Amino acid sequence: MTDRDAVPLDPAAMRKQYRAEGLAESELAATPVAQFAHWFEQAAVEAHLFEPNAMVVSTADAEGRPSARTVLLKQFDEQGFVFYTNYDSRKARELAENPYVSLLFPWHPMARQVIVTGVARRTGRDETAGYFRTRPHGSQLGAWASAQSSVIPSRAELDASYAELESRYPEGEQVPVPPNWGGFRVAPQTVEFWQGRENRLHDRLRYVAEPDGGWRVERLSP
């Protein structure tokens, strides 16, 4: 039998029974960021997930047309969740038109998801520069070499751009921060913690920001 003759996979037949243990309101931390920190540590340290800081960032333009991509979380605290990008990229252009954003952490091996909705604002240049200096030398050059989301003629042109930068800024020489590159901080308005359960009766607990700065927790039907 050749690959052409193979029976195609049926997505509808793919089933996974999730665990019996769930998530109760009494187990939650006082704030969603504290609860995220707890789950994030479990994903990274206990479950050893590959890139637990990978998240799907969903944006929409001024007309409501959505787009999504996977980005790496680089910082989080009570002020929000931070990622970095080229400010000329599609995601950044859309955030300039419509700052509302969704972040999804898909921790499938643990049958968990965290879903954040909020408003994105650019980080300050000092904060951006501080993070940029921690990036590997090659990644610093890559931020200059790539005109993110733009159409390019070939891979060869991208490689040539990188090679030129590599000769201009050899290893050990400080690379300036690109003026069109920086961070976004997503201030959360809701944060949902999703725990897979048996029979598709999942636990979904969502923190909702209150006007006084506190948080309300509500349970969603699966």
Side-chain angles (χ1 to χ4, degrees), residues 138-159:
S139 296
Q140 293 182 16
L141 298 179
W144 279 99
S146 172
Q148 197 174 74
S149 299
S150 65
V151 176
I152 57 176
S154 66
R155 173 74 195 201
E157 180 175 287
L158 180 64
D159 291 339

Side-chain angles (χ1 to χ4, degrees), residues 69-118:
R69 74 290 292 161
T70 301
V71 175
L72 296 179
L73 175 73
K74 291 301 177 181
Q75 179 189 344
F76 66 90
D77 55 29
E78 292 295 338
Q79 280 66 55
F81 300 80
V82 178
F83 65 91
Y84 291 86
T85 187
N86 186 308
Y87 285 146
D88 295 324
S89 66
R90 178 176 178 177
K91 73 177 86 59
R93 294 196 308 269
E94 290 183 349
L95 288 172
E97 298 175 351
N98 176 2
Y100 294 99
V101 62
S102 172
L103 312 176
L104 167 64
F105 295 86
W107 296 331
H108 301 309
M110 303 176 72
R112 285 179 174 177
Q113 301 179 71
V114 180
I115 306 162
V116 180
T117 64

Side-chain angles (χ1 to χ4, degrees), residues 11 25 27 35 41 58 60 88 104 110 114 130 143 149-150 157 161 165 205 211 222:
E25 287 85 344
E27 300 172 4
Q35 180 63 32
E41 182 178 8
S58 298
D88 295 324
L104 167 64
M110 303 176 72
V114 180
S149 299
S150 65
E157 180 175 287
S161 176
L165 287 159
L205 297 181

Side-chain angles (χ1 to χ4, degrees), residues 11 14-23 106-113 194-204 222:
M14 296 177 178
R15 303 187 185 280
K16 186 77 172 178
Q17 186 67 280
Y18 297 140
R19 69 188 208 179
E21 299 82 8
L23 179 64
W107 296 331
H108 301 309
M110 303 176 72
R112 285 179 174 177
Q113 301 179 71
W194 184 102
Q195 175 65 69
R197 297 291 304 276
E198 290 180 328
N199 304 315
R200 296 299 185 263
L201 296 178
H202 314 306
D203 284 324
R204 299 176 60 190

